[in-house]
Amino acid sequence: MTHHGEYKVVGGKLVVVDLEIDNGVIVKTSLNGDFFLEPDDALDDLNSAINGLPSDATHSTIRDAVTANLREGAVMFGFDADAVARVVRRALGHATKWGDHEWEILGPEIIPVAEQVALDEVLTRQIAKGLRKPSIRFWDWDESAVVIGSFQSLKNEVDMEQATKHGIKVVRRISGGGAMFMEAGNCITYSLYAPESLVDGMSFADSYPFLDEWVMQALAKIGINAHYKPLNDIATDAGKIGGAAQKRLANGAMLHHVTMSYDIDAEKMTQVLRIGREKISDKGITSAVKRVDPLKSQIELERLDIIEVMMDTFAERTGATRVQLDDQAREAARELADTKFNTEAWTARVP
């Protein structure tokens, strides 16, 4: 039985594989693509490393077999052992690509921020149960808020006296990462809900640019040349514009979300957030105010117009269709916000 898989390395080359399976074992491998490999006959090393592996081999098993079998001094350009493992897993149906899924786009809708983070949990769990198609959702809100990461200390990250003074609500999300300063209309936030098979074998660091490659294309359309700055910052030559965070559930679903600054009151942000010198010590700057350079300062487009370009680009890349958020999900989010995300027990779970 023949299996075919393809994987385009982010910033690298296309890797293709054709496999033959017999009784649950890979018996013939033909790895090919537009990558570079020296010496030429090291390709035999890659193929023979895969031959004999079970068809349910894990990503790490395949990767380690390739690494161990590659002759000393061989060099792979534009791909690596992880890329080989990924394309083999795709060929075998264990890892998926964007086009394997039927995507939906949920456009911006004004929803309280506590319900926004609740929706992230609700929709991700629906993906895990097979109750929802993979989706991307753009946020909108009409309040001021700080959304802190799952593992951040409330007192170390937020000056609650200043937050109260400025009428800023503080909520905690389920993913890690840093705090998001969100006033109405000042940033662009989206959440991606997908089966974890989309990032099969990828580290968090590798998955960030992979999952957001489409948004770099969208930004390029409007004249913004953006790139990832490890681990999870999105930046331009002018400075940081946003960051990503992720949560992978044990039941096979994934939440990935991004917040980009559109128009920020940096002075107020630094009053409310306790952004210390250690936080910015590796950024090459001395002031947190200078750390973020919002989109509005780089391009003359309204925030919702930028979101439209993003939604169109995502649809072009994935074939996604636009849908409305259903009442059942909204009601589940309201209930979860009341019982979890609006409670002191959750918000201050790391005091």
Side-chain angles (χ1 to χ4, degrees):
M1 187 175 181
T2 301
H3 299 258
H4 178 83
E6 299 183 4
Y7 172 63
K8 170 65 169 63
V9 179
V10 177
K13 296 297 183 178
L14 178 67
V15 185
V16 183
V17 74
D18 294 287
L19 305 171
E20 289 187 15
I21 310 297
D22 185 25
N23 292 321
V25 175
I26 302 171
V27 296
K28 186 176 180 180
T29 303
S30 176
L31 195 71
N32 52 96
D34 62 357
F35 51 78
F36 300 93
L37 178 65
E38 293 293 343
D40 280 359
D41 51 2
L43 186 61
D44 295 334
D45 300 348
L46 302 182
N47 288 329
S48 61
I50 299 165
N51 290 338
L53 293 177
S55 59
D56 60 354
T58 64
H59 179 96
S60 60
T61 296
I62 301 168
R63 178 199 61 210
D64 293 347
V66 168
T67 301
N69 206 55
L70 194 63
R71 68 192 63 189
E72 186 176 354
V75 182
M76 305 165 75
F77 298 96
F79 76 127
D80 55 17
D82 272 309
V84 174
R86 191 157 300 119
V87 74
V88 169
R89 293 273 294 175
R90 280 190 176 183
L92 297 171
H94 305 308
T96 56
K97 56 185 183 294
W98 294 96
D100 292 331
H101 303 285
E102 188 177 347
W103 291 89
E104 293 182 339
I105 299 171
L106 298 163
E109 180 179 350
I110 293 178
I111 295 172
V113 173
E115 292 179 28
Q116 297 277 9
V117 294
L119 272 169
D120 275 355
E121 180 169 334
V122 168
L123 301 186
T124 306
R125 295 194 181 282
Q126 287 183 346
I127 292 289
K129 295 177 181 178
L131 301 177
R132 175 172 295 277
K133 295 175 183 177
S135 308
I136 188 169
R137 182 176 68 86
F138 289 84
W139 296 26
D140 207 354
W141 60 97
D142 59 4
E143 59 189 320
S144 297
V146 168
V147 181
I148 60 175
S150 181
F151 309 108
Q152 289 187 294
S153 163
L154 180 61
K155 67 180 179 182
N156 288 341
E157 298 298 329
V158 183
D159 185 325
M160 289 304 300
E161 182 178 343
Q162 289 295 318
T164 301
K165 172 185 173 182
H166 291 291
I168 295 174
K169 182 178 181 62
V170 180
V171 298
R172 184 185 297 275
R173 61 180 185 268
I174 63 172
S175 61
M180 301 152 54
F181 181 72
M182 305 173 64
E183 294 189 288
N186 81 339
C187 55
I188 295 171
T189 296
Y190 63 82
S191 297
L192 186 79
Y193 316 99
E196 197 173 346
S197 60
L198 186 65
V199 292
D200 178 79
M202 290 187 190
S203 66
F204 281 78
D206 289 340
S207 70
Y208 287 136
F210 169 75
L211 293 171
D212 291 323
E213 188 177 17
W214 67 271
V215 85
M216 304 303 173
Q217 181 182 2
L219 291 171
K221 286 182 178 179
I222 59 175
I224 294 178
N225 182 24
H227 59 275
Y228 254 95
K229 185 176 181 181
L231 171 66
N232 61 333
D233 284 356
I234 299 174
T236 68
D237 291 341
K240 177 179 174 178
I241 58 173
Q246 201 173 118
K247 175 73 173 180
R248 300 183 188 183
L249 302 185
N251 50 12
M254 171 195 67
L255 161 68
H256 171 82
H257 67 78
V258 168
T259 292
M260 297 183 190
S261 174
Y262 175 73
D263 183 19
I264 195 165
D265 185 336
E267 292 292 346
K268 185 189 296 184
M269 178 186 71
T270 56
Q271 291 172 24
V272 175
L273 298 183
R274 300 185 189 275
I275 306 174
R277 292 189 63 84
E278 185 66 21
K279 176 74 172 178
I280 61 175
S281 62
D282 64 342
K283 309 298 180 182
I285 54 175
T286 57
S287 169
V289 173
K290 298 177 182 178
R291 188 182 176 212
V292 177
D293 202 322
L295 291 170
K296 190 174 182 179
S297 70
Q298 302 183 47
I299 189 163
E300 295 182 1
L301 267 184
E302 295 297 323
R303 171 176 165 271
L304 290 178
D305 292 333
I306 296 174
I307 291 175
E308 277 294 324
V309 173
M310 289 181 175
M311 290 193 291
D312 286 344
T313 304
F314 188 83
E316 291 167 6
R317 289 287 297 267
T318 65
T321 57
R322 298 195 191 191
V323 299
Q324 295 293 318
L325 185 63
D326 57 282
D327 292 339
Q328 184 178 4
R330 276 301 312 275
E331 183 55 38
R334 290 189 190 98
E335 181 178 346
L336 192 58
D338 288 341
T339 58
K340 179 178 180 178
F341 292 101
N342 271 324
T343 67
E344 181 72 13
W346 171 255
T347 304
R349 77 178 190 119
V350 183

